[in-house]
Amino acid sequence: YLLGGPGSGKTSLAYYYWLCRAKVRPPAAAAGNFITVNLTAESTDDKAAMKSLICGHVAGSFPGAQSREGALSFAGAGVCFLDESHGVSGVVMQILMEVLDSNQFLAWGATKKRQLDCAVVFASNRSWETLRKLINFDEHSRLGATVVDVSNLAAREEDLIAVLSSALADAAKRFTTWSAPLG
């Protein structure tokens, strides 16, 4: 569970975790994908829609449905990054608890569960203290074993320098009439 303000680098940290995870897998194993889902933006009370988004659905599961891979299956052996998870409740929490309790998921309309192979990383811009007041603590305590507080970028001078350096180098490549300042 990554906690930090907007722009603190939660997505970058989750992506770095995906890169590290891919390095330790055997060469013959697939590295998997890095998939992001903004749970607050995508969340709806329609269980079929949320199950389809997270777990996928099979052809014929509803009228006119073709099969669709959900975020968990598309991530494969990679990382499924669930951003803005402070909005998780109701239907979404039911689906996640089903997945995380059994380490398996069932696509909408399927008859056989699939093994969860990806790492699931949650993120929120709320503090842990705030989350404890907003959520069902029992459910959220089962979401993950580790809570990482990501401090704002302004408080991490060495990271800010690296970000600015990278942005300036990128600008120097793209703009022919501009040159990066020295130093």
Side-chain angles (χ1 to χ4, degrees), residues 105-122:
F105 63 96
L106 182 67
W108 185 259
T111 57
K112 184 179 177 188
K113 286 188 173 188
R114 293 180 58 184
Q115 190 67 30
L116 180 67
D117 195 24
C118 67
V120 180
V121 178
F122 296 88

Side-chain angles (χ1 to χ4, degrees), residues 37-122:
V37 177
N38 184 317
L39 286 179
T40 299
E42 299 285 345
S43 190
T44 174
D45 286 334
D46 182 356
K47 187 167 185 173
M50 291 311 300
K51 187 141 180 118
S52 174
L53 175 70
I54 296 170
C55 302
H57 64 259
V58 297
S61 56
F62 51 87
Q66 301 297 316
S67 66
R68 173 188 181 195
E69 263 190 301
L72 297 175
S73 62
F74 192 67
V79 171
C80 183
F81 178 61
L82 302 176
D83 201 6
E84 302 298 333
S85 60
H86 54 267
V88 173
S89 63
V91 170
V92 177
M93 187 55 78
Q94 290 171 7
I95 294 166
L96 291 174
M97 288 300 100
E98 174 187 318
V99 170
L100 297 174
D101 282 346
S102 66
N103 217 25
Q104 298 177 338
F105 63 96
L106 182 67
W108 185 259
T111 57
K112 184 179 177 188
K113 286 188 173 188
R114 293 180 58 184
Q115 190 67 30
L116 180 67
D117 195 24
C118 67
V120 180
V121 178
F122 296 88

